[in-house]
Amino acid sequence: MNYRSTRDASLAVSSAEAILTGLSPEGGLFVPESFPELTLGELTRLAELPYAARAAEVLSLYLTDFPRETLDSCVRAAYTPEKFGGVDGIGLAGVGRGTWLLELWHGPTCAFKDMALQLLPHLLTASARLLDCDRELVILTATSGDTGKAALEGFRDVPGARILVFYPEDGVSPMQKRQMTTQPGGNVHVCAIRGNFDDCQTAVKQIFTDPELAARMTARGKRFSSANSINWGRLAPQIVYYLSAYSQLCASGELEPGEKVNICVPTGNFGNILAAYYAKRMGLPVGKLLCASNRNRVLSDFIATGVYDKNREFYPTASPSMDILISSNLERLLFELSGRDDGLLRGWYASLAETGRFEVPAAVKARLQSEFWGGWCDDDATRATIRDVFERHTYLCDTHTAVALHALGAYREATGDARPTLVASTANPYKFTGNVLSAIAPPRSRDEYAQIEELFDISGMEVPPQLAALKDAPVRFAGSVAREGIRAEVERVLGIGNRG
Ligand SMILES: *Cc1c(COP(=O)(O)O)cnc(C)c1O
């Protein structure tokens, strides 16, 4: 199977090239040429396999240039019970009738990003081998908090790879910051940016598509790649858990095979919900896809109006991993909804770059609304939802998951659609202890680790040992650079400056 660019559909590359390159040279994103379909029998039989084997089955349909043994060894190395705290990596928790939380945060860094980022380094190094590329891979990553840590863990001390992470200095939770600034590993670099996530992502995308810089990298035996969800190798593994969860619920008798479910996802860069849409295209019986935003509601406004407009105030919120106004993967959805019209996409994204907005025609908006529903809530409603879920179900959820549960409640009330629903639960609550604790009880201490103990005393939920262990870890990466300084910092760290 080949991959096309959303902004130049005449371009066709293999999956290994798409993964190694990350972003297409003209700025578009790689998308599969077609969507492989699973029959209902194939779908429900996934439940008979361990998670790693389910991943290999699904990924083999997309990464057709990977020998099957290569793929098998990649997934076996990524999805081990040691790394994911259990045989199947994901937990399924019922909260009320017909609502299941897909707990995607049992991996090493306690956020759903591990589901893809434990696998991506293996896919990337395998792609480099398939393409006879022996240059050092430099993974540039912009993060709203969770991608950074998950990518650092995935790539630390991987031979032939180096990783540089940029995060917004004041835009991540204290635990997210601690996780990144204490990161061990000989090939890692972490840098705080005086700006927001969009600034980080935009700078990184510019570096990727700069031909002069690419030439300098080649001359030094290096090449850039991406660990952000702009990389196809990040998105493909995310399709697996939706198919997997459905097969498990059929196997346990909670769903009838073929019965439709809705899927509700707390959304920032639109990667996770796009993976759910791709699962639907592969034959997963899905009704509506519910896109949940925090106060940075550029996506729910877009779904309601067909106008994407990033000219608005940016709010730091209690769900910082979704504090995003330029939602990259929406571009992949629009490519599908426009009938794969790369000319339309070029126009919309030129307009976004120039004016900060674009509007899709009525037919595209109608298709969008037939598949998606958008909801949003502010921090007060987020905390109220955490409290409500805790009181009614003795279940502690994090702030991002709470945004999704709030949107689900609003959707059910507005439409009367009571269909069973899978809700992506994207982080362990202890990553956002301050906000989660204050939702259920007034914090007695201001110290983060004292608050973790308070939250444990109230909830009885186990504190992940990898977070507890960071309490006394030494800080390796302090200081910050201005957003205009990202490129210079990359050149400095890599020793590829014009005069370096
Ligand atoms: C990254 C992240 C999100 C948003 O996921 P996207 O794929 O960017 O839409 C939601 N919740 C948490 C905890 C995250 O880390």
Side-chain angles (χ1 to χ4, degrees), residues 112-113 146 266-272 321-322 400 426-427:
F112 88 93
K113 309 289 201 294
D146 289 327
T267 301
N269 224 2
F270 210 78
N272 205 7
S321 301
M322 315 197 306
H400 304 75
T426 49

Side-chain angles (χ1 to χ4, degrees), residues 51-52 123-124 127 129 182 215 236 247 250 274 306 308 331 333 345 373 413 437 495:
Y51 190 82
L123 296 180
L124 257 169
S127 298
R129 256 180 283 133
T182 60
S247 74
C250 289
L274 182 72
Y308 192 95
E331 180 168 348
L333 176 71
L345 270 281
W373 185 88
E413 197 159 304
L437 175 62

Side-chain angles (χ1 to χ4, degrees), residues 10-340:
S10 70
L11 224 132
V13 302
S14 69
S15 71
E17 281 173 85
I19 291 170
L20 197 57
T21 315
L23 187 66
S24 186
E26 81 298 336
L29 303 179
F30 290 116
V31 289
E33 204 157 49
S34 60
F35 292 99
E37 280 182 37
L38 293 174
T39 64
L40 196 55
E42 287 167 334
L43 177 60
T44 51
R45 275 197 300 277
L46 287 175
E48 295 161 15
L49 305 170
Y51 190 82
R54 289 178 207 167
E57 284 299 311
V58 175
L59 293 173
S60 69
L61 304 171
Y62 284 104
L63 312 185
T64 48
D65 47 334
F66 280 55
R68 184 60 194 249
E69 316 81 74
T70 307
L71 205 50
D72 286 340
S73 69
C74 288
V75 296
R76 271 200 305 268
Y79 300 118
T80 66
E82 295 74 43
K83 285 179 177 165
F84 283 89
V87 185
D88 269 337
I90 54 173
L92 276 169
V95 281
R97 240 180 100 230
T99 306
W100 295 280
L101 288 174
L102 205 53
E103 293 176 345
L104 302 168
W105 39 259
H106 292 285
T109 76
C110 306
F112 88 93
K113 309 289 201 294
D114 287 324
M115 298 303 296
L117 281 163
Q118 281 296 311
L119 181 58
L120 182 65
H122 300 286
L123 296 180
L124 257 169
T125 45
S127 298
R129 256 180 283 133
L130 286 173
L131 298 171
D132 283 326
C133 165
D134 53 9
R135 287 188 264 155
E136 183 186 42
L137 291 178
V138 177
I139 313 300
L140 279 192
T141 304
T143 185
S144 57
D146 289 327
T147 290
K149 177 60 181 179
L152 288 162
E153 271 308 301
F155 282 97
R156 78 187 245 201
D157 297 324
V158 169
R162 243 170 124 158
I163 171 158
L164 278 63
V165 168
F166 297 96
Y167 71 93
E169 184 169 32
D170 298 319
V172 300
S173 81
M175 182 60 82
Q176 288 178 313
K177 187 167 189 166
R178 188 189 294 266
Q179 281 186 305
M180 289 188 280
T181 55
T182 60
Q183 176 67 39
N187 63 341
V188 304
H189 184 76
V190 176
C191 184
I193 299 304
R194 298 191 289 276
N196 61 34
F197 170 75
D198 292 314
D199 298 324
C200 297
Q201 178 161 256
T202 302
V204 163
K205 278 187 172 181
Q206 276 163 1
I207 293 172
F208 280 136
T209 50
D210 181 330
E212 191 268 326
L213 206 53
R216 240 191 286 157
M217 289 286 282
T218 307
R220 308 288 168 94
K222 302 178 196 296
R223 81 177 279 169
F224 286 126
S225 190
S226 166
N228 284 103
S229 54
I230 55 174
N231 192 320
W232 174 245
R234 249 301 283 285
L235 269 183
Q238 299 185 357
I239 302 171
V240 177
Y241 44 73
Y242 293 109
L243 303 170
S244 170
Y246 186 89
S247 74
Q248 272 176 266
L249 289 168
C250 289
S252 63
E254 287 170 276
L255 287 175
E256 287 296 321
E259 184 178 356
K260 278 191 182 171
V261 292
N262 292 336
I263 299 181
C264 178
V265 184
T267 301
N269 224 2
F270 210 78
N272 205 7
I273 195 167
L274 182 72
Y277 169 79
Y278 285 170
K280 180 177 185 183
R281 295 287 301 261
M282 293 179 74
L284 187 69
V286 177
K288 209 81 170 179
L289 293 156
L290 312 182
C291 175
S293 309
N294 63 27
R295 208 171 162 207
N296 296 299
R297 52 193 248 227
V298 66
L299 285 168
S300 57
D301 286 354
F302 176 62
I303 293 169
T305 63
V307 177
Y308 192 95
D309 190 352
K310 77 170 180 79
N311 303 311
R312 58 177 73 209
E313 195 166 339
F314 174 89
Y315 301 105
T317 72
S319 44
S321 301
M322 315 197 306
D323 290 346
I324 294 176
L325 292 179
I326 307 173
S327 194
S328 285
N329 281 295
L330 181 67
E331 180 168 348
R332 285 185 162 113
L333 176 71
L334 292 177
F335 187 67
E336 302 303 328
L337 298 183
S338 70
R340 308 200 135 206

